[in-house]
Amino acid sequence: MTSPAPTVLVFLDPAFENGRIADSSQPQLMATDLGATRGDGVFESLLAVQGHPRKVQAHLNRLGSSAAALDLALPGQDVWRRAIETAIKEFRDVHPAPTPEEDEVVVKLIVTRGVEGAASPTCWVQASPSPAGSRRQRQTGIDVVLLDRGFDTEAGERAPWLLLGAKTLSYAVNMAALRYAHKQGADDAIFTSTDGRVLEGPTSTVLLAHLETVDDGDGSIRTVRRLITPQLDSGILPGTSQGALFAAAKAAGWELGYGPLEPQDLFDADAVWLISSIRLIAPVNHINGKEVGTPEVRKQLTAELNHLFAGIE
C-alpha cells in the first residue's frame, strides 16, 4: 500500500535518540491499537515554515495538557523536539519545496494509548505537505455556517469526561461538521452552544474585531482596534495561534477581549476570522450567507493581523 501523499514518519523510540524514521508506504500501526479502534489518543498540528517549526513550546504544552486529561504519560518535551527536527529535515531532503514561498510542512504529533494493556503509549511525528487550499483560503477568505454543537458552555466543567478542552484523536464529529458545511455550500463552520454562545470552528479558533473612533477630548481622534475571542472556559480548545496573536496584538496596541459572544456579535463585527496553526488567519466573508463587515475593512485588518502573526516564532 502506498502513501496517498508525501509523508515522513518518525517514531519516538528509546533506542533512537533523534527518533526512528519509518517507511510511510508500509503499515506501521497495529490494527488493535486503541488509537485506531477507539480514537483513544491525542495529537497536535503545527506548521514549519522554511524549516522552522512555529510555536513548538505552545503545542508541546497543549499536547501535555490533552494527554493529562486522558491519563497518558508522554515522553519528555526534548524527545519530541528532536523527533520534530528529524521529521522536518527528512521531509525537506526528500520532498524539497518548489519555491521558498511554498516551503511549508505540516507537522503532526500523535499519541495513542497503544494496544490493549500496553505499558507505554505509541508516539510519532508525521511530516506532510501543507494543503494548497489552506493558502488559498488565507488569501480569498471563507464562507461559514453556524452549527449547534449540542452542548452548553458549562458542559466541560460539569462533565470533564467529555474532554471538550482536549485535542483528542476522536475527530469524527469535527469532520462530520465540515462535511455538512460543505454540503451547504460553505467552506467551514462555527459551533454554537445550546445556551446560545459562540464556541469555535471544527479545527480553528474564532476571532472578531471592532474598530472604534475615540475622541481623546483634546481635539485628537484615534481609532481603537479591539480583538475578541470566545471565553476559554466555555468548553473550547485553547488556541495556540489565538494566544500567540493576542500577545502580539497587545504589544501593538490592540485592545483584547474574551467573550462571552453570541451569534449576533459575529454579524455586528467589522471582521471575523478563523485562525489555526495550519491555515493560519482565514478571513470570514459570509456567515449563513450574510456578509460580515466590508471587503475593504476586512482586507485591511487581515493584513495587519498577518503582519503581526508573521513575527511569531
Side-chain angles (χ1 to χ4, degrees), residues 141-145 181 185-189 274 283-290:
I142 56 176
D143 295 336
V144 307
V145 291
D187 302 295
D188 212 318
L274 293 184
V284 176
N285 298 328
H286 300 87
I287 299 177
N288 288 353
K290 182 178 179 180

Side-chain angles (χ1 to χ4, degrees), residues 45-56 59 84-85 88-89 91-92 97 99-107 127-130 134-135 138 241 276-281 306 309-313:
S45 298
L46 59 94
L47 192 66
V49 179
Q50 297 182 3
H52 177 70
R54 305 185 69 183
K55 301 187 282 84
V56 174
H59 284 288
I84 291 169
E85 294 296 337
I88 295 171
K89 182 180 184 305
F91 184 88
R92 295 180 82 215
T99 66
E101 292 74 20
E102 298 175 86
D103 190 356
E104 294 184 351
V105 180
V106 174
V107 180
S128 56
S130 175
S134 294
R135 290 190 290 272
R138 296 173 206 162
S241 295
S276 61
S277 293
I278 306 305
R279 187 170 54 189
L280 306 182
I281 303 172
N306 279 329
F309 200 68
I312 295 171
E313 292 294 324

